């Protein structure tokens, strides 16, 4: 082989390796970032169900109206406004219990003979308001003293959870970039422009952070429940995002 041809081949091979090396060095980096924020609840929710049962449907409806009058008297005493009250799950349904042959109640639904108790009219009250423990204690005690409510729930939540979620998302993006920059610095390269962003808003962000208390219908005064001591925790909201950058 002549010397000139040999040199040309060496140049061609060198160019090929240079091109191959360039392809290997060029690429992207893909990093998942996460962020979370803790925010104190600023709203409270108090809910309870009122019902009345009687074998006479009209009489049951009248009992429910009387029970509601007791509830509204408590709400008025605690200065609850109409825009703080939501009434839902208004229904009427027949109710039954089961007895064995001796007339004793059974614990297993469907076992024994079904006995008609009456028509049950019910409705659920939900009160949403700013956190005020004194007011909440007055409401809780007043409704319990009525003796007409069941399934009393107390919960706390953040009114503007979307702002906290947006902050968590921004922190996730910053976290992804910080991690990518650290990796690139260690590898002797640097970030280029963003090549792709992968984000799924599939996380479940509950509106309420419950410190929950349940009670059966209040009976005699000795059985009336005391207002529970409730610890309100901050709500943690988190998010994540995956970002790809081109490498320089």
């Amino acid at each position: 082989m002549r010397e000139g041809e040999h040199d040309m081949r060496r140049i061609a091979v060198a160019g090929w390796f240079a091109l191959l090396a360039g392809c290997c060095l060029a690429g992207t980096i893909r990093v998942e970032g996460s962020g979370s924020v803790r925010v104190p609840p600023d709203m409270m929710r108090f809910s309870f169900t009122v019902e009345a049962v009687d074998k006479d449907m009209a009489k049951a409806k009248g009992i429910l109206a009387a029970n509601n009058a007791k509830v509204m008297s408590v709400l008025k005493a605690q200065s609850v406004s109409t825009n703080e009250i939501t009434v839902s799950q208004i229904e009427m349904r027949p109710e039954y219990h089961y007895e064995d042959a001796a007339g004793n109640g059974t614990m297993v639904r469907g076992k024994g003979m079904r006995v008609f108790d009456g028509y049950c009219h019910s409705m659920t009250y939900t009160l949403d308001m700013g956190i005020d423990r004194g007011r909440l204690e007055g409401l809780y005690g007043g409704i319990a003293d009525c003796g007409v409510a069941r399934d009393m729930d107390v919960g706390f939540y953040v009114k503007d959870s979307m702002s906290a979620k947006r902050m968590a998302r921004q922190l996730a993006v910053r976290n992804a970039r910080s991690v990518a920059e650290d990796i690139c610095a260690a590898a002797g390269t640097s970030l280029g422009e963003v090549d792709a962003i992968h984000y799924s808003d599939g996380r479940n962000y509950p509106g309420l952070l419950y410190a929950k208390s349940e009670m059966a219908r209040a009976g005699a005064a000795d059985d009336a429940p005391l207002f529970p001591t409730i610890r309100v925790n901050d709500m943690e909201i988190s998010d994540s995002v995956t970002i790809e950058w081109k490498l320089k």
Side-chain angles (χ1 to χ4, degrees), residues 45-203:
R45 170 170 288 185
F46 176 43
S47 63
F48 54 90
T49 299
V50 177
E51 66 179 23
V53 181
D54 196 275
K55 291 183 178 180
D56 184 306
M57 186 184 297
K59 187 176 180 181
K61 184 178 179 181
I63 295 172
L64 180 67
N67 290 345
N68 283 329
K70 294 178 182 179
V71 168
M72 295 307 298
S73 177
V74 173
L75 300 186
K76 182 178 179 180
Q78 295 298 323
S79 302
V80 178
S81 61
T82 55
N83 64 348
E84 294 175 318
I85 306 172
T86 301
V87 178
S88 61
Q89 300 179 29
I90 303 171
E91 62 178 3
M92 188 285 293
R93 64 187 182 278
E95 283 207 344
Y96 303 86
H97 72 275
Y98 291 84
E99 296 180 354
D100 59 21
N104 300 314
T106 63
M107 299 298 294
V108 181
R109 182 179 177 84
K111 296 291 186 179
M113 180 177 64
R114 189 171 75 161
V115 179
F116 178 62
D117 292 322
Y119 297 98
C120 178
H121 295 267
S122 64
M123 57 199 304
T124 297
Y125 286 80
T126 301
L127 312 180
D128 287 286
M129 56 194 72
I131 293 179
D132 183 332
R133 287 183 181 261
R135 192 181 188 196
L136 178 59
E137 184 170 357
L139 285 166
Y140 191 101
I143 296 299
D145 288 342
C146 282
V148 299
R150 65 172 178 84
D151 298 334
M152 294 170 65
D153 276 357
V154 176
F156 301 89
Y157 65 99
V158 177
K159 184 176 183 179
D160 185 12
S161 60
M162 291 305 298
S163 292
K165 182 178 179 181
R166 188 177 301 111
M167 188 182 302
R169 186 185 303 122
Q170 293 171 352
L171 290 174
V173 173
R174 294 174 192 169
N175 174 245
R177 185 173 188 89
S178 176
V179 172
E181 288 175 342
D182 288 347
I183 293 173
C184 287
T189 184
S190 59
L191 292 181
E193 62 183 15
V194 173
D195 191 49
I197 298 176
H198 306 277
Y199 178 74
S200 174
D201 193 17
R203 291 175 179 264

Side-chain angles (χ1 to χ4, degrees), residues 23-46:
C23 291
C24 292
L25 289 175
T28 61
I29 182 172
R30 177 185 175 118
V31 175
E32 179 179 355
S34 60
S36 64
V37 294
R38 298 184 67 87
V39 291
D42 55 6
M43 297 290 290
M44 63 185 187
R45 170 170 288 185
F46 176 43

